[in-house]
Amino acid sequence: QVQLVESGGGLVQPGGSLRLSCKASGFSRDLYAIGWFRRPPGKERKGVSCITISDGRTSSADSVKGRFSISRDNAKNTVFLQMDSLKPDDTAIYYCAVAEEYVWNCLYEGDYNYWGQGTQVTVSS
């Protein structure tokens, strides 16, 4: 069956780094995009960064540009989110999600078909 498994979350001090991984399995067709979303405590979930599988085009939210980068390993069906210069405001549950069809804005969660269970990222001293 379809599975998205996130890993790499944890507790880190401000200014530190973490690398999240999202491994997709069980899909019977090519995927269009994989995105990372996050839900801070008491707030709504929003798009962080996303990548199209075929050509590697990326988009990122303004709040993480210059600090986070997304990449993919198509052979392993895995997408990574490298998070540097982390701030307390980055504290959230991070989710990866798959869009099977074309999406106009890959940071919009409404176009995604499958979601992982989430991984907690806490930035605190």
Side-chain angles (χ1 to χ4, degrees), residues 30-51:
D30 292 340
L31 308 178
Y32 179 77
I34 293 181
W36 284 99
F37 298 79
R38 68 184 181 186
R39 187 194 302 274
K43 297 182 180 180
E44 63 183 12
R45 187 167 60 190
K46 291 186 177 180
V48 175
S49 192
C50 51
I51 187 167

Side-chain angles (χ1 to χ4, degrees), residues 4 22 24 27 29-37 49-59 70 72 74 79 96-108 111-114:
L4 291 175
C22 172
F27 290 90
R29 57 184 293 184
D30 292 340
L31 308 178
Y32 179 77
I34 293 181
W36 284 99
F37 298 79
S49 192
C50 51
I51 187 167
T52 54
I53 299 305
S54 61
D55 59 8
R57 285 183 298 113
T58 63
S59 292
I70 189 169
R72 76 201 194 288
N74 286 356
V79 168
C96 71
V98 160
E100 294 183 302
E101 302 284 350
Y102 171 83
V103 297
W104 174 252
N105 176 8
C106 68
L107 291 176
Y108 173 59
D111 290 328
Y112 283 80
N113 310 104
Y114 299 95

Side-chain angles (χ1 to χ4, degrees), residues 10-99:
L11 172 64
V12 64
Q13 292 187 341
S17 298
L18 283 174
R19 189 191 196 206
L20 304 183
S21 299
C22 172
K23 182 172 177 58
S25 62
F27 290 90
S28 59
R29 57 184 293 184
D30 292 340
L31 308 178
Y32 179 77
I34 293 181
W36 284 99
F37 298 79
R38 68 184 181 186
R39 187 194 302 274
K43 297 182 180 180
E44 63 183 12
R45 187 167 60 190
K46 291 186 177 180
V48 175
S49 192
C50 51
I51 187 167
T52 54
I53 299 305
S54 61
D55 59 8
R57 285 183 298 113
T58 63
S59 292
S60 293
D62 288 343
S63 59
V64 304
K65 283 180 179 176
R67 301 188 298 121
F68 292 11
S69 62
I70 189 169
S71 60
R72 76 201 194 288
D73 182 338
N74 286 356
K76 297 180 180 179
N77 288 331
T78 301
V79 168
F80 306 97
L81 184 67
Q82 178 66 41
M83 306 187 295
D84 299 320
S85 301
L86 282 161
K87 306 174 181 179
D89 284 349
D90 296 317
T91 295
I93 300 174
Y94 284 71
Y95 301 87
C96 71
V98 160

